[in-house]
Amino acid sequence: MHAVRDFEDLIAEGAGVPVDGWDFSWLAGRATEERPPWGYARLVGARMATVAAALDIDTGGGEVLAETPTPPPLLVATEAWPPNVEVARRTLRRVGATVVRVAGAPPLPFRDGSFDLVTSRHPVETWWDEIVRVLRPGGSYLSQQIGAGTVRELSEAILGPLPPPASRHPEQAVAAARAAGLEVVDLRTATLRTVFHDIAAVVYFLRKVIWTVPGFTVDRYRDELRRLHDRIRAEGPFVAHAQRFLIEARRP
């Protein structure tokens, strides 16, 4: 009976935490993920210090962009998910960024050649033609992206065996960038160990990172969550692997 109560308490805890923004600090002590070796926030900060106008696409709650030590004179961020827009506006006041709510499809609401730098961390989709359009000649796009099959082990623990991933491969991004007229100047990949210590962390993650199990709800997947909870109790933390890649491309 205690195990049932324990499961229900953890499920309720993971389901009750707000998931606005892109801050994962609630997972401290409950889940860990290795960081990519290239230090994306540091790279963005270095680029921002050298340009006059920059755009951050899919800024989330603005958490990464807010780390910019020397923001450019013009700094704009876009976000499509309404709950994140106000979070980003509050977060990005300290770097003087303007946050623009956008639709989940192109075009971007900016004139041609508006920016020296476009950045994006974990974009939902990369609109390569729009990036080229809003970049000035010589401008760059710098992005850390989610790779194919990221945390696949967790997806399959809930959904069962899945076919090989068809999208989000780094070589596809390179081909799309070149097709849009950009010169790819850097590409790096990383596989990152991701560890979940309890089922509350799993529930929180699946509610926040919604593409891991599309349409996830606790009620819909209660049986699968219970099996995973029992597995964690019997075998220890659940380990998955996140895939990331860094791509930098320049407009000639």
Side-chain angles (χ1 to χ4, degrees), residues 3-247:
V4 173
R5 272 199 316 273
D6 180 51
F7 170 72
E8 295 296 343
D9 289 347
L10 288 167
I11 288 291
E13 185 178 6
V17 181
V19 291
D20 296 346
W22 206 241
D23 177 6
F24 287 81
S25 59
W26 185 82
L27 290 174
R30 312 190 82 136
T32 60
E33 182 180 281
E34 288 182 279
R35 299 291 91 190
W38 47 77
Y40 176 73
R42 177 182 53 79
L43 292 176
V44 169
R47 302 296 193 282
M48 291 282 178
T50 66
V51 300
L55 169 66
D56 189 53
I57 298 174
D58 287 345
T59 199
E63 296 85 2
V64 174
L65 190 60
E67 296 180 31
T68 303
T70 309
L74 176 64
L75 182 56
V76 181
T78 67
E79 177 57 30
W81 195 42
N84 276 350
V85 173
E86 288 307 316
V87 174
R89 284 174 177 158
R90 292 194 300 270
T91 303
L92 293 173
R93 284 188 190 122
R94 62 178 173 267
V95 291
T98 299
V99 179
V100 178
R101 180 178 172 181
V102 296
L108 291 166
F110 308 110
R111 291 192 295 269
D112 296 0
S114 295
F115 301 102
D116 306 296
L117 174 68
V118 176
T119 61
S120 189
R121 180 179 181 268
H122 303 172
V124 176
E125 184 179 354
T126 304
W127 305 338
W128 291 105
D129 290 340
E130 281 296 280
I131 289 165
V132 172
R133 183 183 65 78
V134 301
L135 275 175
R136 295 168 180 165
S140 294
Y141 175 66
L142 178 65
S143 178
Q144 178 177 296
Q145 305 216 356
I146 295 168
T150 194
V151 291
R152 182 183 180 88
E153 301 95 333
L154 180 56
S155 300
E156 292 192 331
I158 304 298
L159 297 171
L162 297 170
S167 60
R168 295 193 176 275
H169 295 280
E171 57 270 24
Q172 292 172 325
V174 169
R178 289 172 174 164
L182 293 170
E183 175 192 359
V184 176
V185 297
D186 195 4
L187 180 71
R188 310 183 210 179
T189 63
T191 298
L192 310 168
R193 192 169 187 266
T194 306
V195 181
F196 297 90
H197 293 275
D198 64 33
I199 202 65
V202 170
V203 169
Y204 174 83
F205 183 88
L206 293 178
R207 291 174 57 227
K208 196 174 185 77
V209 188
I210 57 176
W211 50 83
T212 308
V213 176
F216 172 80
T217 66
V218 167
D219 289 341
R220 182 177 180 182
Y221 291 105
R222 183 174 293 272
D223 291 344
E224 292 83 359
L225 292 169
R226 180 53 195 258
R227 285 195 291 271
L228 184 53
H229 166 75
D230 291 343
R231 176 176 169 180
I232 292 171
R233 285 176 62 88
E235 301 176 10
F238 181 80
V239 178
H241 296 87
Q243 306 297 329
R244 298 286 183 269
F245 66 91
L246 180 82
I247 185 167

